[in-house]
Amino acid sequence: MKVKATLKQIAKELNVSVSTVSKALNDSPEISELTKIKIKEYAKLKNYKPNVIGLNLKNRKTKTIGVIIPNILNSFYAKVFSGIEKEADKKGYNVITCISNESIVKEVNTLQMLSNGTIDGFILSVSEEAQKLQDYSHFSDIINEGTPIVMFDRIAENIECDKVIVDDFDSGLNVTQRLINLGCKNIALISSIDNLSVAKLRADGYLKALTDNGIEVNENIILRTDCEEDMKNKIDAVFLNNDIDAVFALDENDSVAALRVAVNQGYKIPDELSIIGFADGILASRRLSPSLTTVSQHGVEIGEVAAKLLIDRLESEDGIEPPYETVVIKTKLKERESSRSNKKSIRKK
């Protein structure tokens, strides 16, 4: 295995100064072409690699973006990352991705580790634990140190930074209204993410739609929990003990669970029960039967917009930073087999 040479070693062996070697490797016009060729060929022979981190610290630019996502298994985050990488690559930036696993400790440690000169700025979605504790001081600390942050999807309202969100409240309102327009009156709400800001907004939209249409809120068919296991333990009772003709599920896992329970209990979908879920992953759209009607959050677009906001801030001219923006991406309902019927027959218990 070759040992990598340093600038000092090359300078000593070629009997020139370290400054001359550095300038030659960086194509400085101060160095003759003959000397440049000589030094570059010798550096290549000796397997010389520049100290990128050192250069970045000196120049204060790494051309690298740090991305922190809460969950690697969620297809939504994969789509967002795809959009971030696409925009970053177009602008000549690299991307480092880390996973908080919904832990505030990991979130804090990652921010501290990467903000030491490794990256220029962060794009992130807030961890579940941080939202549960309402503790966002670590974001303020990083921003105050001069490292910009763009938040997406799950955000901290009181932190001043750029944000990219979807219209969660309007989406909850519109989905519920769509189910009402299909003839549904007993619409169950299923959520295993009730401690997240996005879930609260979606649920508020659901409740508003019921009120607007004069439908009494039935707490017996509203299941709001903080974890998937709790949701799965309680969801069967919602179907068994109540007359329901529709389900609005606030997360992809909730949507899949609702569909499976309905099928197992013999519901005819969509004739007796319509189901609409949030997020548009592969499982929901391709691998379920019947296929699931979903709310698409346009993850790729969210990633592209977030990356553009961060890069524009990093490259702002004359040191004048643009005002913070909150960009709202409109969701889209993708109708599939689980909600296409306009004639509802209610199965009585």
Side-chain angles (χ1 to χ4, degrees):
M1 183 177 178
K2 289 184 178 180
V3 178
K4 294 179 182 179
T6 65
L7 288 178
K8 286 184 179 180
Q9 290 170 338
I10 295 172
K12 182 179 179 181
E13 293 180 29
L14 294 181
N15 197 28
V16 295
S17 68
V18 172
S19 175
T20 298
V21 174
S22 178
K23 290 178 180 179
L25 294 175
N26 287 287
D27 278 323
S28 171
E30 298 176 35
I31 309 299
S32 69
E33 288 302 317
L34 187 61
T35 303
K36 285 182 187 178
I37 293 170
K38 180 182 177 181
I39 291 174
K40 286 181 179 180
E41 287 183 351
Y42 190 80
K44 184 177 180 181
L45 178 68
K46 292 296 182 178
N47 196 34
Y48 169 75
K49 300 291 182 184
N51 184 340
V52 176
I53 293 178
L55 288 172
N56 290 335
L57 287 170
K58 181 180 178 181
N59 299 327
R60 300 302 301 162
K61 289 291 181 183
T62 69
K63 299 287 284 188
T64 302
I65 294 169
V67 177
I68 307 176
I69 60 174
N71 185 343
I72 195 174
L73 299 178
N74 191 317
S75 59
F76 167 68
Y77 294 121
K79 290 181 179 180
V80 174
F81 176 74
S82 175
I84 292 171
E85 194 168 52
K86 179 180 177 182
E87 184 67 20
D89 185 62
K90 187 164 66 175
K91 298 292 181 66
Y93 281 73
N94 298 310
V95 179
I96 294 176
T97 308
C98 298
I99 304 158
S100 69
N101 277 333
E102 307 291 9
S103 164
I104 189 172
V105 173
K106 288 187 176 180
E107 195 168 63
V108 170
N109 290 342
T110 301
L111 285 168
Q112 291 176 345
M113 176 183 68
L114 294 181
S115 62
N116 64 357
T118 304
I119 55 91
D120 294 331
F122 289 101
I123 298 173
L124 59 88
S125 187
V126 179
S127 69
E128 179 179 338
E129 192 174 11
Q131 288 209 318
K132 190 172 184 179
L133 296 172
Q134 291 289 291
D135 184 356
Y136 306 126
S137 58
H138 47 299
F139 301 126
S140 297
D141 292 342
I142 294 298
I143 293 170
N144 291 338
E145 290 170 5
T147 303
I149 290 176
V150 176
M151 294 181 179
F152 71 90
D153 189 43
R154 305 181 200 168
I155 63 171
E157 289 283 356
N158 60 334
I159 299 297
E160 291 192 0
C161 64
D162 293 309
K163 295 160 186 169
V164 185
I165 58 175
V166 298
D167 54 339
D168 286 293
F169 175 84
D170 288 343
S171 295
L173 180 72
N174 294 336
V175 165
T176 309
Q177 186 62 56
R178 172 59 178 158
L179 290 169
I180 293 170
N181 293 345
L182 288 172
C184 304
K185 301 297 181 185
N186 302 295
I187 305 168
L189 180 80
I190 306 296
S191 172
S192 65
I193 56 171
D194 197 50
N195 52 329
L196 301 181
S197 57
V198 292
K200 289 179 171 62
L201 289 168
R202 295 166 193 173
D204 288 345
Y206 158 86
L207 295 170
K208 181 70 164 54
L210 296 183
T211 301
D212 288 349
N213 288 273
I215 299 174
E216 186 177 351
V217 176
N218 182 358
E219 296 293 343
N220 294 325
I221 60 174
I222 296 177
L223 176 57
R224 299 175 69 172
T225 71
D226 288 351
C227 70
E228 189 178 346
E229 184 178 356
D230 192 23
M231 179 271 295
K232 288 182 176 179
N233 289 335
K234 296 176 179 177
I235 189 172
D236 285 275
V238 174
F239 285 77
L240 283 171
N241 302 331
N242 302 280
D243 293 329
I244 60 174
D245 52 20
V247 175
F248 176 32
L250 303 193
D251 177 72
E252 185 169 18
N253 291 330
D254 302 337
S255 310
V256 173
L259 183 60
R260 285 175 175 166
V261 170
V263 170
N264 289 340
Q265 293 192 18
Y267 278 87
K268 295 177 182 177
I269 301 172
D271 297 329
E272 295 177 338
L273 186 76
S274 287
I275 301 176
I276 298 179
F278 235 89
D280 193 31
I282 294 174
L283 183 62
S285 61
R286 300 181 191 175
R287 297 179 183 174
L288 296 178
S289 181
S291 57
L292 191 62
T293 296
T294 56
V295 179
S296 175
Q297 295 167 275
H298 302 295
V300 174
E301 183 181 354
I302 289 173
E304 289 176 343
V305 172
K308 188 175 187 306
L309 283 173
L310 180 59
I311 293 170
D312 284 351
R313 184 166 296 281
L314 292 171
E315 297 184 349
S316 56
E317 296 181 1
D318 302 323
I320 302 174
E321 294 189 358
Y324 291 124
E325 288 186 62
T326 295
V327 179
V328 181
I329 306 295
K330 294 291 184 181
T331 58
K332 180 180 180 182
L333 186 65
K334 292 191 175 181
E335 296 263 13
R336 300 189 182 91
E337 295 169 345
S338 71
S339 69
R340 284 181 178 169
S341 175
N342 282 300
K343 296 179 181 179
K344 305 305 297 179
S345 57
I346 300 177
R347 191 173 77 162
K348 297 292 183 180
K349 293 291 184 289

